[in-house]
Amino acid sequence: MKIRTKIFLLIVFSISLAFTIFAIIPPKKAMESNPFIIEEGARPLIAAHRGGKILNPENTFKAMDYSVNELDVDILEMDLCLTKDNYLVLNHNKTINACTDVNIIQGSEEDYYIKDHTLEEIQYYNFGYNFKDREGNYLYRSILDGVSDNERSEVLKENDLRVITIDELLERYKDTDLLYIIEIKDSGDRGFIAADLLYQKMTEYNVINKVAIGTFNTEVEEYLISKYPDTIRGGSVGGVTSFVITQMLGVNIFDKTSFACLQIPVSEEAFGIEIHLDKTTYINRAHRRNISVQFWTINDKEEMRRLIELGADVIMTDCPDVLHELLIEMGFYNHE
């Protein structure tokens, strides 16, 4: 019995030692220098989600300019969709129905897919039409009253309510230090074309080291990894899941994910169980790999404060004014 007990204890000790080694051995860094990671004790980077969609019409220059010029945001977050004639435009959905007056003009509820229409056709619609301010007012529904069909696009452009192309965006802010979080919405071959065009524009405007690219499509992620290994990537659903599971089990040596930005909510439900991701454990282990920890979409002031105290690198918010105000209250801007 004594021999069996010793063998059992040796096995337990060996397993414990192995897990300890797995947890201690420094994993390979995702990248040497990550612009989306803050120094210890510094303020988090403010990421205006869709440009700050509570304050202004999402993904329009009215939103982007306000966040950049009035609130000193560090990052603009957006989604890109590919038009029929291969332009990349900013829009959260693959259709424009939720933001624009397309259903009113067309006289139907039919979905208006970006992929089925040219840039010129999409520029016809008012991307501020369905925006409501915090008091519930529609501010931009009458902006085209009395405007002829031929003048609509230019009037919308003059009022910063026309759809934005990635070219226009990067040109607008080419002389700033802004960073960008960009999600490619298209999948399959269209997703590959979108990735090629985005990389081309990133190269043209010299922002390869300023953009974190994300996608929910595994094939597009693999395409980016193989063809554009020098890009900074956000984690896909599978990649983030792998990271979380290996960290929960304390076996980070087995985590082979290659993304540089861990973009996560504060919690996520899986198999009926709520998993809390707002823990210093995840942040510390991500930082060991030089991975930026970015929480979305945080609009509550006290939740922002808690994440700042945890050491989050980036807070994505629809309300960049609330986060900006909080950082002033916490004294961060006095340190810069």
Side-chain angles (χ1 to χ4, degrees):
M1 291 293 293
K2 290 183 179 180
I3 295 177
R4 290 182 178 179
T5 300
K6 288 181 179 180
I7 293 174
F8 174 75
L9 291 175
L10 181 60
I11 292 173
V12 171
F13 174 77
S14 299
I15 293 174
S16 300
L17 179 62
F19 270 82
T20 300
I21 292 173
F22 292 154
I24 292 176
I25 293 176
K28 181 181 178 182
K29 289 186 177 182
M31 60 187 302
E32 285 304 313
S33 179
N34 190 335
F36 291 89
I37 289 183
I38 61 172
E39 294 182 2
E40 186 174 354
R43 70 170 177 85
L45 302 177
I46 306 174
H49 185 241
R50 308 188 202 176
K53 76 185 192 81
I54 294 296
L55 306 178
N56 289 287
E58 64 183 62
N59 290 313
T60 66
F61 275 132
K62 192 169 285 293
M64 303 290 179
D65 282 351
Y66 184 82
S67 290
V68 171
N69 298 328
E70 303 297 327
L71 301 175
D72 298 321
V73 302
D74 307 284
I75 304 170
L76 293 177
E77 187 277 345
M78 69 207 70
D79 307 275
L80 293 182
C81 297
L82 190 66
T83 67
K84 182 179 181 180
D85 51 349
N86 288 350
Y87 284 91
L88 288 172
V89 297
L90 279 63
N91 203 59
H92 177 69
N93 299 324
K94 293 180 179 180
T95 64
I96 65 170
N97 301 72
C99 296
T100 74
D101 51 355
V102 63
N103 291 134
I104 302 299
I105 292 175
Q106 299 290 349
S108 75
E109 296 298 316
E110 185 177 348
D111 286 334
Y112 192 96
Y113 283 93
I114 292 173
K115 68 180 179 64
D116 295 330
H117 298 277
T118 66
L119 174 62
E120 183 177 3
E121 290 171 335
I122 296 168
Q123 288 175 333
Y124 182 82
Y125 298 102
N126 179 3
F127 275 73
Y129 187 80
N130 285 327
F131 171 76
K132 288 193 293 186
D133 65 13
R134 282 172 167 146
E135 286 71 46
N137 302 309
Y138 290 98
L139 302 181
Y140 306 111
R141 286 199 163 179
S142 61
I143 200 168
L144 292 171
D145 287 356
V147 175
S148 68
D149 287 350
N150 293 335
E151 298 173 318
R152 282 178 61 97
S153 179
E154 281 305 310
V155 171
L156 289 171
K157 181 181 180 181
E158 290 168 4
N159 286 274
D160 293 326
L161 293 173
R162 195 172 76 173
V163 67
I164 303 175
T165 67
I166 190 62
D167 311 62
E168 292 172 325
L169 183 88
L170 296 179
E171 177 65 27
R172 188 104 157 196
Y173 304 120
K174 65 182 180 182
D175 296 323
T176 72
D177 294 325
L178 279 170
L179 300 175
Y180 305 91
I181 294 174
I182 298 176
E183 180 183 333
I184 296 174
K185 283 291 187 177
D186 292 276
S187 59
D189 290 340
R190 291 183 60 81
F192 302 155
I193 294 172
D196 291 338
L197 289 173
L198 176 57
Y199 188 83
Q200 175 186 328
K201 298 304 176 183
M202 289 164 57
T203 302
E204 181 180 337
Y205 285 93
N206 194 28
V207 294
I208 290 177
N209 293 324
K210 292 184 175 183
V211 178
I213 307 175
T215 176
F216 281 104
N217 301 293
T218 302
E219 71 275 15
V220 177
E221 180 187 39
E222 292 173 349
Y223 185 79
L224 286 167
I225 293 172
S226 63
K227 191 165 183 181
Y228 304 115
D230 57 335
T231 55
I232 300 171
R233 290 183 299 99
S236 65
V237 174
V240 171
T241 301
S242 173
F243 179 90
V244 169
I245 291 175
T246 54
Q247 303 313 320
M248 286 176 65
L249 297 176
V251 289
N252 57 70
I253 194 173
F254 293 128
D255 178 32
K256 303 301 181 182
T257 53
S258 59
F259 57 80
C261 298
L262 180 65
Q263 298 162 340
I264 51 176
V266 294
S267 64
E268 188 67 63
E269 186 174 311
F271 306 108
I273 302 173
E274 187 175 13
I275 300 174
H276 292 277
L277 304 174
D278 51 345
K279 296 182 179 180
T280 53
T281 301
Y282 293 111
I283 294 173
N284 292 339
R285 287 178 172 170
H287 284 172
R288 290 180 68 201
R289 293 197 54 199
N290 225 19
I291 294 174
S292 167
V293 182
Q294 308 176 352
F295 286 97
W296 54 266
T297 302
I298 313 301
N299 296 328
D300 178 76
K301 195 171 189 178
E302 291 311 308
E303 189 167 41
M304 291 174 179
R305 187 191 303 274
R306 185 171 57 82
L307 294 174
I308 292 169
E309 292 171 349
L310 282 176
D313 296 296
V314 176
I315 295 179
M316 298 187 213
T317 178
D318 298 323
C319 310
D321 59 330
V322 175
L323 181 52
H324 184 262
E325 180 182 85
L326 175 60
L327 293 175
I328 293 174
E329 290 176 8
M330 296 178 73
F332 280 103
Y333 283 102
N334 296 330
H335 300 160
E336 297 180 354

